[in-house]
Amino acid sequence: MILRRLQDIAGTAQDVVTQNWASRRLLLARDGMGFSLHETTVFAGTETFIWYKNHLEAVYCVAGEGEIEDLATGEVHAIAPGVMYALDRHDRHKLRAKSEMRLVCVFNPALTGREVHDADGVYPLIEEVAAGG
Ligand code: 9YT
């Protein structure tokens, strides 16, 4: 069994901070779960272009308010506590935070922990052999 606390991750290599968001990575590829699990804080007033062409991501909002724009259709969806979105088609999107948002994020394939968005809003696919497998 794996048990981790957010407070133990703060300030370590698993606490990835960019201009628009901070991602505390609770489970990573090396944990061998087949997905990674993160708590992401999106800073108030930010807009982030994201395109996970190598990954699927589900996002569940637990705090804060914002919106997501689907760049394929132009549709804009409000994000608030209790809302989940899943990028099942590697959807290109813009994420806007009206207030600071706290999001629980799951990635498949699992992130290795080092990823930040490149200029195209993409995370690279980093191969890593999981512990014990
Ligand atoms: C919602 C979203 O994708 N934000 C960017 C950070 C990402 N969730 C991560 O790496 O944890």
Side-chain angles (χ1 to χ4, degrees), residues 21 23 25 38 40 50 52 57 85 95 103 105 117 123:
W21 49 262
S23 172
R25 292 166 174 173
H38 320 168
T40 299
I50 302 174
Y52 293 124
E57 186 195 25
Y85 64 85
L95 186 63
L103 308 172
C105 307
H117 297 139
Y123 284 163

Side-chain angles (χ1 to χ4, degrees), residues 93-114:
H93 62 283
K94 281 188 178 166
L95 186 63
R96 301 186 190 97
K98 290 182 185 160
S99 58
E100 182 173 287
M101 293 195 291
R102 274 191 32 228
L103 308 172
V104 177
C105 307
V106 176
F107 277 78
N108 172 20
L111 298 198
T112 66
R114 299 186 293 276

Side-chain angles (χ1 to χ4, degrees), residues 36-117:
S36 58
L37 176 69
H38 320 168
E39 185 185 278
T40 299
T41 302
V42 184
F43 304 134
T46 59
E47 177 182 81
T48 310
F49 167 67
I50 302 174
W51 181 26
Y52 293 124
K53 62 178 168 186
N54 299 314
H55 298 84
L56 299 172
E57 186 195 25
V59 176
Y60 181 66
C61 179
V62 293
E65 310 276 333
E67 62 185 29
I68 182 168
E69 180 178 350
D70 181 337
L71 293 176
T73 63
E75 278 178 298
V76 176
H77 307 280
I79 298 175
V83 174
M84 186 280 305
Y85 64 85
L87 304 168
D88 61 331
R89 297 180 182 201
H90 304 277
D91 313 77
R92 292 166 72 248
H93 62 283
K94 281 188 178 166
L95 186 63
R96 301 186 190 97
K98 290 182 185 160
S99 58
E100 182 173 287
M101 293 195 291
R102 274 191 32 228
L103 308 172
V104 177
C105 307
V106 176
F107 277 78
N108 172 20
L111 298 198
T112 66
R114 299 186 293 276
E115 295 88 346
V116 291
H117 297 139

